Amino acid sequence: MRALPILALTFGLALPASADVETALDRHILPAFAAFADRADALAQTAALDCRPEAVRPAYQAAFDAWMPVADLRLGPSETGALSVAFWPDPRGATQRTLARFIAEEDPVALNPQDYAEVSIAARGLFALEMLLYDAAFADYAPGSYTCDLVTTIAADLGHQAAALDRAWQTDFAQTLRSAGDAGNATYLSPDEALRALYTQILSSVEFTTDRRLGQPMGSFDRPRPTLAEARRSRRSLRNVVLAAEAAHDLAAALADWDLPETDAALGRVRLAAERIEDPAFQDVAAPQGRLRAEVLQQAVADLRQTIEVEIGAEYGIEPGFNALDGD
Amino acid sequence: MLRTSLTTAMVVALMANAAQAQTAADVLETYADIAEAKYADSLRTAEALKDAVTALTETPSAATMTAARQAWLEARVPYQQTEVFRFGNPIVDDWEGQVNAWPLDEGLIDYVDSTYGGPTDANQLAALNVIANPTFTLSGTEIDATEITPDLLREALHEADGIEANVATGYHSIEFLLWGQDLNGHGDGAGDRPWSDYAEGDACTNGNCDRRAAYLNVATDLLVSDLDWITAQWAEGGAARTALMADEKAGLSAILTGMGSLSYGETAGERMRLGLMLNDPEEEHSCFADNTHNDHYYNGIGIQSVYLGQYVRVDGTMVSGPSLSNLVAANDPGLDMEMRTRLSAAVLALGRIKTAAEAGFAYDEMLRRGNEGGEALIMGGVEGLIAQTRSIERVVAALDLGGIKIEGSDSLDNPSAVFQ
C-alpha cells in the first residue's frame, strides 16, 4: 500500500488524489454529519416533549458526542456554520450575558425557531443549551416558563442547523472536494489543494485541543484557570479531548491509504493519559497532581500532531495551509 | 503526488528567471523599506497625537478635544497598514501587544456606565478604575498608583493577572480616554466623553481629571516611544530587518505568513465574522471611536501593499521596489494575476464597508441582529479576505517555501490570551 504514492511521486504523476479525499468523505465526514443531524433532531424532539434539564440532558450528551467527529472542521459549509453550533471559547462570557438578557427581557425571539437563526451565536447551539441545562443560575426553570421555551427553541434551531450542515456537505461541498482540479471547480484548482485543505483541518484540530481544550484550563502553573475548561458544566471536557483526538486520527487514517503505526500508537497514548485524568471537567488542574496529569495528556495530543505530520504530511510532501487559529 | 518533480523544476526555473528581473533579496529589501516607512509614518502621526494630547490636557476645551480625536484617527491610518508585518516577524509579534491590544475591559482604566457591570468570572479587574483609585490590591499585592507612571501602566496594569483584556496601554486605551464608552449600542453615534473630563478644578466632570490627564499623557508617551523602537528595528542594521534578510526562503515565507494570518484568522475570522455572528456592538475593533471600518480597510490596503511592493506615505511620496508580485509573475503570470485580482477584490469589499460607514451606517449598526445590508457588507469583506488567503497559499506552494509556519505559540505560551 505504502509504495504506491511514492512510486507516483517518482514519476511525477498525480494519483487520482480524490481517492483519498473520497475516503475521508465517505468513511468519516459524511457519515458523521448524517449522524449528527439524527442526534440533533432527536434532541429537538426530546426538548419539545419535555424541556426540563433531567429530561433533555441524555439527548444533549448524545448530540454533543455526535458533533465531535466534525466539530473542528472549518471549511465549506462548516467555515461559518460550525461556530453557531458550538461557540467556544467565550472569553468575555457572551453566552451567559446574552441568555440572561433574553430571559430578563423575555425576548419574543425565543418563541420562534425560524427567527432564532438571527440571534447572536453566543445564544445558539450546544454551549447555549449547556448553560441552560447545567448551570445552577439557569437550570431550575419550570415547565412552561420562558427558559423552558428557550431550551426548546435552541434545540429546534440546533436541529435545523445540523440538517442544513448535513445537506450542504452531502450535496454541494462533497462534490466540490471530489471534483478538485476539474475545469469549473474554482475552489480547488488541483486534487492536491483538496488534500491539503483536509490535512490542514486535521492539524488545526489537534492544535485546538492542545492549546485551548487543554491549555486554556491549565493556564500557567501560578494561575491555572479551571473555569475556562470547555463544556465543564456538562462535565464533557475530557471526553471532548478524547473524541477530538480520535476524530483527527480517523480522518488522518482515511486520508492515507497506508498504515499509520506511529499515529495509531500516539492515539493509544492519548487514551491512556486520558484514563488517568480524575476529573472529567478538568477542575483539578489547580492541584499539582491534576496539573501533571493534564500536562501528560497535552503532550500526548501534541505527539499525535507530530506523528500525523510525519506519517501523512511528509509522506505526501504537503504542508498545512492557513487555519482559523492563525492570528491571536 | 503534491510536490511533483514538475514543481521543483518550476522553482528552479523561477529562481533562474527571477535572477534576471529581481532577486529574492531585492524583494525582501523592498519589504523591509516599506516596513520602515510605515512605522516611521506611524511614529510621526503618533507624535502629532502627542502634541494634540498635550494641548488637550494643558488647555482643555471642545476644540482641543476634537483636535486630539482627529490626530488619533490620522495616526491609525499608517499603523493599521503595518499589521501585515505581524505573525511573520517575531520581533513585531512580541512587541505588538503593548501597542494595539484589543478587546479591552475598559473599566480597568476609568469610570464606566452602570450597564458595564463589575468584575467578571474571567477578569476580576474588569472594573478596577485606576484613575479613581490611587491605591488598590492586585493579585494580593498592594499597588501604589498615586503617581501615574510608565512603569505602573506597563508593568503593573498591562495584562494584569495574565488577562489580555486588561489593556492599559496602546491605541485603544488612548481611544477610550478620548472618546469614552459608546453607549449608543447599535444606534447612531460613537463614544461621547465630554472635554471637561480633562478640565481643572470645579469644571472637572466625572472626577479625577488630573489623574485622567496624567494617564492619557503617559499612555501617549509610551505609544510614541514604542513606535520609535520598532521603527529602529526596521532601519538598516536593525534587528527585524537583519532577521528578515538572514534567510531568503524564510524571509519570503515571513511575508506570506503575515499576509495570510492577518487576512484569515485575524481579520476575517476574529475581528469581522465573529463580531457579526455575535451581534455585539462592542465586537468592533475601534468600538469607542467607531473607526472599525477604517481598521479593516487599512489592514486590507496593508496586505495588498506588501505584495505589490508599493506604499504611499503620509506625505504623499511612494516607497516602492521589486516585489513579491514581480517574483511570482516571473514564472507564473497566471497566479500573479489571480493574487492581484483577489487582493483588489478584498480591498474593494472592505472599501464598501468604509463607504457605507462614512455615509452614516456605522459598523456597530451593521452588526445588529437581522440587519441584512450590514451582514452582506461585512460578509463581503470576510469572503474577499478568505479568497485571497487561498491564493496566498498557492503562492506559498508555487515558491516552494516549505510550508507556512502555523502561528500557535502565543496561545501555548499564554493560554489566557487565545482570544485576544
Side-chain angles (χ1 to χ4, degrees):
Chain A
M1 290 297 273
R2 193 170 176 146
L4 197 56
I6 295 172
L7 198 69
L9 269 178
T10 312
F11 290 102
L13 297 170
L15 271 183
S18 47
D20 316 302
V21 171
E22 299 266 5
T23 314
L25 283 168
D26 295 338
R27 215 167 77 191
H28 182 90
I29 297 173
L30 298 181
F33 275 109
F36 173 55
D38 281 351
R39 295 290 175 209
D41 184 53
L43 170 61
Q45 294 191 28
T46 304
L49 287 173
D50 186 344
C51 68
R52 287 172 302 176
E54 54 275 24
V56 181
R57 282 173 187 164
Y60 172 83
Q61 292 281 351
F64 212 143
D65 278 353
W67 171 242
M68 286 312 295
V70 285
D72 295 343
L73 293 179
R74 293 290 182 279
L75 77 172
S78 298
E79 173 100 51
T80 295
L83 275 172
S84 47
V85 172
F87 172 61
W88 186 86
D90 177 15
R92 309 185 88 197
T95 293
Q96 202 161 12
R97 195 158 25 93
T98 312
L99 291 172
R101 198 182 64 229
F102 281 3
I103 293 167
E105 296 172 358
E106 301 212 341
D107 192 322
V109 77
L111 306 176
N112 186 334
Q114 305 301 331
D115 293 350
Y116 206 75
E118 291 291 323
V119 310
S120 165
I121 54 169
R124 299 177 71 194
L126 292 165
F127 288 97
L129 271 180
E130 186 201 33
M131 187 68 73
L132 299 178
L133 295 176
Y134 290 92
D135 191 280
F138 294 96
D140 59 351
Y141 57 87
S145 65
Y146 177 86
T147 306
C148 170
D149 290 343
L150 188 55
V151 166
T152 310
T153 298
I154 297 173
D157 170 61
L158 180 64
H160 297 161
Q161 289 193 66
L165 272 174
D166 183 37
R167 210 162 39 237
W169 268 93
Q170 309 283 350
T171 54
D172 296 349
F173 197 67
Q175 189 49 33
T176 301
L177 283 165
R178 288 187 217 276
S179 66
D182 288 2
N185 187 324
T187 309
Y188 300 113
L189 302 187
S190 68
D192 304 351
E193 290 195 351
L195 190 59
R196 184 175 64 201
L198 288 177
Y199 177 68
T200 301
Q201 301 300 310
I202 299 171
L203 292 191
S204 56
S205 168
V206 179
E207 188 183 337
F208 188 77
T209 299
T210 47
D211 293 2
R212 309 218 174 162
R213 290 195 174 101
L214 284 159
Q216 210 158 272
M218 287 165 69
S220 65
F221 185 80
D222 295 331
R223 191 71 168 88
R225 298 182 187 276
T227 57
L228 299 186
E230 183 194 41
R232 69 180 166 91
R233 292 177 174 84
S234 55
R235 302 188 65 73
R236 294 187 52 88
S237 315
L238 175 64
R239 190 172 177 80
N240 284 3
V241 166
V242 175
L243 292 176
E246 287 175 348
H249 172 274
D250 288 358
L251 197 50
L255 218 48
D257 48 7
W258 56 86
D259 292 337
L260 305 173
E262 296 297 327
T263 304
D264 294 345
L267 180 65
R269 288 192 297 275
V270 170
R271 288 184 174 132
L272 204 61
E275 280 168 21
R276 299 203 177 113
I277 300 280
E278 291 184 357
D279 185 337
F282 297 144
Q283 296 307 293
D284 58 351
V285 290
Q289 282 308 308
R291 180 175 181 84
L292 188 63
R293 287 188 289 264
E295 279 175 359
V296 172
L297 178 57
Q298 189 183 38
Q299 187 57 51
V301 179
D303 288 347
L304 179 65
R305 179 190 165 114
Q306 285 231 301
T307 60
I308 291 171
E309 283 181 307
V310 170
E311 289 190 316
I312 299 199
E315 208 54 33
Y316 274 129
I318 42 172
E319 300 278 355
F322 292 98
N323 72 60
L325 299 181
D326 295 335
D328 56 7
Chain B
M1 82 195 69
L2 282 156
R3 285 271 156 67
T4 62
S5 49
L6 180 67
T7 318
T8 314
M10 226 173 74
V11 171
V12 172
L14 182 143
M15 290 305 181
N17 281 355
Q20 294 160 12
Q22 68 287 299
T23 63
D26 292 335
V27 171
L28 294 178
E29 191 150 340
T30 303
Y31 174 82
D33 289 346
I34 288 178
E36 187 184 0
K38 285 183 179 178
Y39 285 116
D41 284 353
S42 302
L43 172 61
R44 191 167 143 184
T45 50
E47 285 167 344
L49 170 63
K50 174 59 196 170
D51 291 345
V53 160
T54 305
L56 166 65
T57 52
E58 285 180 358
T59 52
S61 71
T64 49
M65 181 67 139
T66 304
R69 288 177 178 173
Q70 184 57 32
W72 185 89
L73 291 169
E74 288 173 8
R76 293 293 288 171
V77 173
Y79 183 77
Q80 283 305 95
Q81 294 180 69
T82 70
E83 286 215 280
V84 71
F85 302 114
R86 297 177 57 194
F87 310 115
N89 299 287
I91 290 171
V92 177
D93 255 352
D94 293 345
W95 161 91
E96 182 272 345
Q98 63 211 43
V99 171
N100 197 35
W102 170 88
L104 53 161
D105 286 341
E106 63 269 22
L108 173 83
I109 298 174
D110 198 2
Y111 73 89
V112 284
D113 187 72
S114 61
T115 54
Y116 174 89
T120 64
D121 284 355
N123 187 5
Q124 290 302 306
L125 304 172
L128 177 68
N129 191 355
V130 66
I131 283 173
N133 291 288
T135 55
F136 50 87
T137 308
L138 207 157
S139 310
T141 313
E142 187 79 12
I143 302 285
D144 176 7
T146 42
E147 197 184 342
I148 293 178
T149 63
D151 259 8
L152 172 74
L153 267 53
R154 173 136 303 160
E155 306 302 329
L157 287 176
H158 195 66
E159 293 182 18
D161 200 21
I163 311 267
E164 288 218 353
N166 288 325
V167 175
T169 64
Y171 286 104
H172 296 295
S173 68
I174 297 168
E175 180 195 358
F176 171 55
L177 288 169
L178 292 178
W179 272 271
Q181 288 180 291
D182 179 354
L183 299 172
N184 303 301
H186 291 290
D188 282 333
D192 191 20
R193 184 187 286 279
W195 66 266
S196 49
D197 272 12
Y198 294 96
E200 282 165 28
D202 289 345
C204 169
T205 48
N206 296 303
N208 309 294
C209 287
D210 50 338
R211 287 177 63 78
R212 188 172 297 112
Y215 196 117
L216 177 58
N217 274 302
V218 170
T220 312
D221 284 339
L222 281 171
L223 180 67
V224 169
S225 66
D226 284 340
L227 289 166
D228 186 52
W229 184 86
I230 197 72
T231 307
Q233 306 310 305
W234 287 99
E236 213 58 58
R241 184 184 286 257
T242 306
L244 178 83
M245 304 295 291
D247 178 334
E248 289 182 0
K249 236 174 137 167
L252 293 176
S253 182
I255 300 179
L256 288 154
T257 300
M259 289 173 64
S261 296
L262 183 62
S263 297
Y264 190 57
E266 185 70 19
T267 306
E270 193 75 3
R271 293 188 190 168
M272 295 183 71
R273 188 176 52 200
L274 190 64
L276 180 67
M277 295 180 80
L278 286 168
N279 301 135
D280 183 341
E282 299 220 344
E283 283 287 333
E284 59 163 335
H285 194 62
S286 296
C287 68
F288 310 117
D290 271 1
N291 191 45
T292 305
H293 54 284
N294 281 319
D295 294 328
H296 298 335
Y297 179 73
Y298 288 112
N299 275 165
I301 291 280
I303 296 164
Q304 187 183 43
S305 115
V306 300
Y307 185 74
L308 298 178
Q310 297 172 342
Y311 167 62
V312 179
R313 302 199 62 167
V314 295
D315 66 3
T317 57
M318 169 97 87
V319 180
S320 65
S323 66
L324 200 50
S325 172
N326 300 146
L327 197 64
V328 174
N331 193 262
D332 191 343
L335 180 57
D336 176 57
M337 176 59 81
E338 176 190 310
M339 187 73 255
R340 284 189 286 123
T341 305
R342 295 251 171 110
L343 289 166
S344 298
V347 165
L348 180 64
L350 296 169
R352 289 187 176 126
I353 299 172
K354 177 175 158 69
T355 306
E358 287 175 351
F361 184 29
Y363 197 88
D364 50 18
E365 298 174 56
M366 297 177 196
L367 296 173
R368 187 200 292 264
R369 184 207 292 178
N371 189 314
E372 288 179 18
E375 180 174 347
L377 278 174
I378 294 172
M379 284 311 291
V382 168
E383 280 155 18
L385 290 165
I386 290 175
Q388 80 181 21
T389 305
R390 300 286 89 90
S391 300
I392 294 165
E393 288 177 340
R394 285 179 191 133
V395 170
V396 171
L399 294 178
D400 196 20
L401 295 174
I404 302 145
K405 195 178 134 284
I406 302 258
E407 175 71 26
S409 59
D410 193 36
S411 34
L412 276 177
D413 298 341
N414 187 0
S416 64
V418 291
F419 242 55
Q420 183 195 343

